[in-house]
């Protein structure tokens, strides 16, 4: 998606060889218009599929998840990372190691909001090693729901998550795929898939 | 806001005397249409005020924050609770004790996204003791930004956060104010303010 790639070129900041800061528009400050356009692009890609629910993970997936749920006119459900008193007792759980935080979290979704009849599109802001995505897919499988596909804002294609999951048969549409990046040479995008 | 109160009556679940679960529509599964209507009501209340940015806190404030930012046509910025490698080094910080998690978090917003020219509307899902809101207001003050007002989905009016902050001069518009609740007697709403 050219508009997102251009925004990454303009406002993304590379730290070292692996960290891309996009907090001015995607995951700290949110550019609502950009996210609406991203949601429209995702809708176009999956428009011939039946989707009953959008699924993501807190916190950075929620914003893109909201706008994708809006264009598909279905609910959003987001996996939570910690047990809250306000969460129900019956949950599907998985363990996820965060790439940016280096800690293992239990993620969970209430059994009430994910079930055998659901056709799920997972969305998230980043795909790198695929840990969060693998955890979310395991929740979909545990619930007996159908995984229709995955859509990601920014895929770090130089890390193995995307290729590993595609080899397993998961349809992943990433709006911007980064082939390589460095502080000195900038960003090289990979072709869309 | 009657539509939200009716939804709380129908789908809210009271646990003990203080916990209200609204995870079927507000903070685990998201009813996009309901949140859009809530955002419109907030827009109506603050339509004569100049607002340059919506501000909230991860994770449960992000969804309502997105739709409020959409109707005001301004960016959303959400305070983060943990230091991430992808956050910038210069941040405003405050300490917040979570009512539902019983732990103290450092919350932070990048200095890049909150500044002296900003006119801020803070939104969040719940107001109880006002800890999160007090922390967010301190970030606004630290940045030299102007706090225009606050809008909350559900205020537990039997807890002191709302009255304390209103006495300090903060304009708070809560879409549903709960006067009392219990598992046996259900929910009694307080008048709108």
């Amino acid at each position: 998606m050219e508009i997102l790639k251009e925004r990454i070129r303009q406002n993304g900041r590379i730290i070292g060889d692996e960290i891309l800061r996009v907090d001015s528009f995607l995951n700290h400050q949110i550019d609502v218009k950009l996210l609406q356009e991203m949601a429209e692009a995702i809708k176009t890609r999956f428009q011939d599929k039946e989707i009953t629910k959008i699924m993501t993970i807190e916190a950075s997936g929620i914003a893109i998840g909201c706008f994708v749920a809006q264009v598909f006119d279905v609910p959003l459900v987001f996996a939570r990372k910690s047990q809250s008193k306000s969460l129900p007792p019956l949950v599907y759980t998985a363990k996820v190691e965060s790439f940016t935080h280096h800690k293992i979290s239990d993620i969970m979704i209430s059994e009430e909001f994910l079930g055998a009849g659901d056709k799920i599109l997972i969305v998230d802001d980043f795909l790198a090693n695929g840990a969060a995505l693998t955890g979310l897919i395991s929740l979909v499988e545990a619930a007996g729901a159908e995984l229709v596909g995955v859509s990601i804002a920014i895929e770090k294609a130089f890390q193995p998550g995307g290729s590993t999951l595609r080899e397993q048969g998961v349809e992943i549409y990433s709006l911007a795929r980064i082939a390589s990046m460095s502080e000195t040479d900038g960003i090289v995008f990979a072709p869309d898939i």
Side-chain angles (χ1 to χ4, degrees), chain A:
Chain A
M1 187 199 182
E2 200 48 50
I3 187 175
L4 175 61
K5 293 179 193 171
E6 187 53 37
R7 190 64 174 272
I8 294 167
R9 282 188 201 100
Q10 284 182 8
N11 297 127
R13 297 189 204 171
I14 302 163
I15 300 166
D17 294 327
E18 293 196 332
I19 301 290
L20 174 65
R21 271 182 48 204
V22 288
D23 50 353
S24 66
F25 56 94
L26 187 59
N27 53 19
H28 182 26
Q29 182 168 255
I30 304 293
D31 181 331
V32 170
K33 282 200 179 63
L34 176 66
L35 267 68
Q36 286 176 260
E37 293 192 67
M38 291 162 58
E40 290 290 348
I42 293 167
K43 171 77 173 167
T44 300
R45 170 71 172 244
F46 289 96
Q47 62 189 346
D48 59 336
K49 301 283 176 67
E50 186 188 354
I51 289 164
T52 64
K53 200 167 282 189
I54 307 300
M55 180 175 163
T56 189
I57 184 167
E58 69 175 10
S60 299
I62 297 174
I64 179 71
C66 281
F67 295 111
V68 173
Q70 187 176 45
V71 298
F72 278 93
D73 196 19
V74 298
L76 168 72
V77 62
F78 62 90
R80 307 211 66 152
K81 282 180 185 164
S82 62
Q83 185 66 55
S84 161
K85 279 197 289 184
S86 57
L87 270 186
L90 297 173
V91 292
Y92 301 109
T93 63
K95 289 194 183 298
V96 170
E97 181 170 5
S98 162
F99 174 69
T100 41
H101 296 77
H102 285 306
K103 66 177 182 186
I104 293 174
S105 303
D106 287 301
I107 68 167
M108 62 197 74
I109 280 190
S110 167
E111 291 184 5
E112 293 175 79
F113 310 130
L114 190 61
D118 282 318
K119 299 172 191 298
I120 301 291
L121 176 65
I122 295 175
V123 301
D124 207 355
D125 59 341
F126 272 98
L127 170 57
N129 289 315
L133 188 48
T134 301
L136 289 171
I137 291 170
S138 76
L139 298 181
V140 172
E141 289 169 350
E146 179 188 336
L147 179 66
V148 176
V150 172
S151 200
I152 300 290
I154 303 173
E155 177 182 343
K156 293 173 174 170
F158 56 89
Q159 288 181 267
S163 55
T164 302
L165 285 160
R166 287 188 182 93
E167 282 165 19
Q168 294 170 16
V170 179
E171 180 178 351
I172 303 176
Y173 173 46
S174 298
L175 298 176
R177 301 180 66 240
I178 297 174
S180 66
M181 62 182 203
S182 73
E183 292 182 19
T184 46
D185 299 331
I187 292 177
V188 178
F189 287 102
D192 291 341
I193 298 181

